[in-house]
Amino acid sequence: MKKAKYVKYLIILCMIILIGIILFLVFNQELHAQNKLEEIMISNDMEDDLVLPKGLYKLGAEYDGRLSTEIICKAYNNLAVNIIPKYYKQCKDLDDNSLTKLFEKNKHVIYLELGYDNVSDFKDLISSLKTLKTDTLKFENYELNGDSLLENSNNFSIYLSIKYVDNTELLLNSYVNKKKTTDTTPIILKADASLDKLQKIIEEKEKLEKEKAKNSVNNTTKQNRVKVQNTEVPKSGKVF
């Protein structure tokens, strides 16, 4: 009887320890993600050897939000070097149901690191990552495509291509917030980029530029007509 009671207490103790370990691991992930975000959001703190994305100047020339260049650089670097490889390793072999469970279990961490508040965006990203082939991802380089740059109401979007060793380029769309954030990444990567969409963006921009040029010519013509009218010689023979 005493032995059975002892075994019961031992089982309960093991369960308490196991629950404690699980809670610690979950809390530790959230704490690490929060600390990393706070580190990124410090404007004047950037390591000298931080690898910057090529084409960053194209974003910098247009961006007029509240994020500093340092914040933008650190956020891009963290996503490409740390976050994408992390979720690739965790999720590359998971099926749809397993991805849903992982998302529900790690909602807060995923929101901190990726900015997703719904499982659909998360699954779309993982689907893109599954096109890569290696067991782990070793960062090589990355580049922003200035032709894809668009200003939206709350952010700027620009295509980001990331090259990992022994893999084809990973093409994603990056959304750079105009406002500073304290509860999620300032840059969100989404799997809604494609070469077809890029071509449409380029064509739309060219169309807008032609319309601007046309309007500029029309305005100049109107202004010249007004000048001519104002300098017509009146009956007195004097020019006013």
Side-chain angles (χ1 to χ4, degrees):
M1 188 73 177
K2 288 184 178 180
K3 186 177 180 180
K5 193 174 183 181
Y6 174 78
V7 171
K8 182 179 178 182
Y9 284 142
L10 186 61
I11 292 172
I12 293 173
L13 179 61
C14 290
M15 289 179 65
I16 292 172
I17 293 173
L18 182 61
I19 292 171
I21 292 172
I22 292 172
L23 289 174
F24 172 76
L25 290 174
V26 171
F27 178 75
N28 193 48
Q29 286 187 56
E30 291 186 10
L31 183 62
H32 175 76
Q34 184 65 55
N35 288 341
K36 186 63 180 179
L37 178 59
E38 291 174 1
E39 178 187 315
I40 288 171
M41 296 307 295
I42 299 175
S43 293
N44 299 320
D45 182 22
M46 188 170 72
E47 297 175 4
D48 294 334
D49 59 348
L50 193 76
V51 180
L52 308 182
K54 297 176 183 177
L56 181 65
Y57 69 93
K58 296 177 182 178
L59 172 63
E62 299 292 332
Y63 181 77
D64 59 358
R66 296 187 61 190
L67 301 180
S68 67
T69 302
E70 291 90 349
I71 290 175
I72 292 173
C73 291
K74 287 188 290 182
Y76 270 121
N77 187 268
N78 183 53
L79 287 165
V81 177
N82 301 315
I83 302 304
I84 293 298
K86 169 189 171 179
Y87 284 99
Y88 173 76
K89 186 176 181 179
Q90 284 185 357
C91 305
K92 64 186 180 69
D93 298 320
L94 298 183
D95 58 20
D96 189 76
N97 187 49
S98 298
L99 286 174
T100 300
K101 290 180 179 179
L102 186 143
F103 179 84
E104 293 299 326
K105 184 179 178 181
N106 300 278
K107 268 185 176 181
H108 191 205
V109 175
I110 290 172
Y111 184 68
L112 282 167
E113 295 181 331
L114 291 171
Y116 300 157
D117 57 7
N118 65 85
V119 71
S120 178
D121 285 339
F122 180 66
K123 287 182 178 180
D124 287 344
L125 175 69
I126 301 305
S127 180
S128 290
L129 299 188
K130 285 184 177 183
T131 61
L132 304 175
K133 304 300 181 184
T134 50
D135 290 334
T136 58
L137 298 182
K138 184 178 179 182
F139 174 77
E140 191 171 325
N141 60 64
Y142 54 171
E143 183 172 3
L144 295 169
N145 188 322
D147 291 333
S148 66
L149 181 63
L150 293 173
E151 182 176 2
N152 309 303
S153 58
N154 297 317
N155 55 55
F156 282 78
S157 62
I158 184 169
Y159 279 22
L160 173 70
S161 58
I162 312 174
K163 181 69 172 65
Y164 294 102
V165 175
D166 296 329
N167 280 288
T168 56
E169 283 189 344
L170 175 67
L171 183 64
L172 298 169
N173 202 357
S174 64
Y175 293 82
V176 185
N177 287 336
K178 291 183 177 180
K179 296 181 179 180
K180 280 190 175 183
T181 54
T182 57
D183 61 343
T184 187
T185 174
I187 299 176
I188 298 173
L189 300 182
K190 290 191 177 182
D192 59 359
S194 72
L195 295 179
D196 288 340
K197 288 182 179 179
L198 176 59
Q199 185 59 39
K200 288 181 180 179
I201 292 172
I202 293 173
E203 290 174 357
E204 186 65 27
K205 283 187 172 183
E206 290 176 347
K207 182 180 177 181
L208 289 174
E209 287 300 320
K210 288 180 180 178
E211 289 179 355
K212 284 182 181 179
K214 183 178 179 181
N215 291 335
S216 178
V217 170
N218 290 339
N219 289 335
T220 301
T221 302
K222 289 179 181 179
Q223 290 173 1
N224 289 337
R225 286 175 180 170
V226 170
K227 287 180 180 179
V228 170
Q229 290 173 357
N230 290 338
T231 56
E232 286 182 352
V233 180
K235 292 181 180 180
S236 64
K238 294 182 180 179
V239 177
F240 295 94

